[in-house]
Amino acid sequence: MELIIADHSGFCFGVSKAMKTIENLVEKKQKAYTLGPIIHNPQEVERLKHFGITAADFYDIKDGNVVIRTHGVGPDVIEQLESRGLNIIDCTCPLVKRVHKLAADISNKGYLTIIIGDHNHPEVEGIKSWCNGDVKVIENVEEAKNFYTNKRVGVVVQTTQTEENVENIIDILQSKLDIAVFHNTRCKATLERQTAAAAVAANVDIMLVIGGKNSSNTKKLAQVCQNVGAKVYHIETATELKKDWFKSTDKVGITAGAST
């Protein structure tokens, strides 16, 4: 059996930076809460719990260190955490922070802010919180077709969106809305991973996509691989592998999400 690993896979820059910060806390034996799971990787979150790094809900954190995860949060959350006297360790991905600034700028100029992204995703919720005015989240082509406003709009993009989804949605919006500004804020790491995964998937019998089942970017990697016609298995751990998936003559491609 031939195994081919995609050139770009696993931890992205933002996640790697966040995890180094967490590992430094572990080395110093400092306990901390993370505002939600630090990454969408249940096995790693469970491992860190044994070292005193605990995922918690906003209202359950009373004292000590609190880590803002890579997805980021709104300014109101930061203010409330500060008002409790908590020590905030901000691990928001720098590329996500850029989206925050661009979305705030669009909103402050009086435009309706459109976010191309997944409803209720933590990153999208964070971006929304930086906008003072009206915000609309558009997840897919169908929603784009059904949306209209006579207001001028500005558009930003959830960093882990697929290129195909963004292009299809923006084509529809540009055909009927007055778009003052469009920032395609998909991150480079997302593009690299999706492009590399698609290239491998097009030339193998089976594609394994490794990463959290609740990870948006990992699910999109699986979708990209399926779009080129590959037989795809999305798994979190080695225990999910099944012998009858494979033949000895198979070419098997492997990629992994940004939280893996």
Side-chain angles (χ1 to χ4, degrees):
M1 186 182 298
E2 182 180 356
L3 302 180
I4 303 170
I5 300 176
D7 288 339
H8 300 279
S9 60
F11 277 0
C12 65
F13 160 75
V15 169
S16 182
K17 188 170 179 287
M19 292 307 295
K20 284 178 182 176
T21 300
I22 293 294
E23 292 297 347
N24 284 338
L25 291 173
V26 170
E27 286 177 15
K28 294 174 183 177
K29 297 185 178 179
Q30 292 186 22
K31 295 185 177 182
Y33 296 100
T34 64
L35 200 55
I38 184 64
I39 52 176
H40 284 157
N41 184 325
Q43 294 73 33
E44 184 64 8
V45 171
E46 187 61 30
R47 182 186 75 85
L48 289 171
K49 187 189 293 185
H50 296 293
F51 296 100
I53 309 299
T54 308
D57 292 330
F58 178 81
Y59 294 104
D60 293 334
I61 303 172
K62 307 299 183 185
D63 52 34
N65 298 314
V66 57
V67 179
I68 306 299
R69 57 187 176 174
T70 54
H71 296 310
V73 295
D76 55 329
V77 174
I78 298 291
E79 288 173 9
Q80 289 185 58
L81 292 173
E82 286 176 339
S83 71
R84 298 184 197 175
L86 296 164
N87 179 40
I88 299 172
I89 302 169
D90 190 358
C91 288
T92 306
C93 172
L95 298 176
V96 173
K97 282 192 173 184
R98 176 174 174 262
V99 187
H100 291 169
K101 291 178 181 178
L102 292 171
D105 182 61
I106 287 169
S107 186
N108 290 336
K109 287 177 178 174
Y111 304 140
L112 184 150
T113 307
I114 292 177
I115 304 168
I116 297 176
D118 302 335
H119 293 284
N120 303 318
H121 189 279
E123 181 187 327
V124 173
E125 291 297 316
I127 297 167
K128 284 168 64 177
S129 297
W130 286 87
C131 301
N132 296 316
D134 293 338
V135 183
K136 175 69 178 179
V137 177
I138 295 180
E139 184 168 336
N140 52 48
V141 165
E142 197 61 34
E143 291 181 4
K145 288 178 180 177
N146 291 331
F147 177 72
Y148 178 76
T149 179
N150 57 8
K151 297 179 180 179
R152 297 199 81 190
V153 305
V155 184
V156 294
V157 179
Q158 178 187 349
T159 58
T160 55
Q161 286 291 298
T162 65
E163 184 175 15
E164 180 183 20
N165 195 47
V166 174
E167 287 181 352
N168 289 341
I169 289 173
I170 201 65
D171 283 348
I172 293 168
L173 297 182
Q174 285 176 331
S175 71
K176 61 180 180 176
L177 301 184
D178 181 3
I179 298 179
V181 59
F182 167 48
H183 298 292
N184 190 346
T185 45
R186 292 178 68 244
C187 77
K188 183 181 178 183
T190 295
L191 176 60
E192 288 175 341
R193 277 155 182 72
Q194 292 175 357
T195 301
V200 172
N203 293 286
V204 296
D205 301 294
I206 292 169
M207 194 72 188
L208 297 178
V209 179
I210 306 168
K213 297 290 175 61
N214 62 337
S215 164
S216 174
N217 79 83
T218 306
K219 287 189 284 189
K220 287 181 174 62
L221 273 179
Q223 186 61 56
V224 164
C225 294
Q226 288 171 346
N227 288 348
V228 298
K231 187 172 186 178
V232 178
Y233 295 103
H234 177 179
I235 62 172
E236 283 190 5
T237 68
T239 58
E240 295 175 61
L241 291 169
K242 295 182 180 177
K243 192 173 181 179
D244 59 10
W245 289 352
F246 310 99
K247 300 192 297 289
S248 61
T249 55
D250 280 344
K251 282 186 178 181
V252 179
I254 300 172
T255 189
S259 297
T260 306

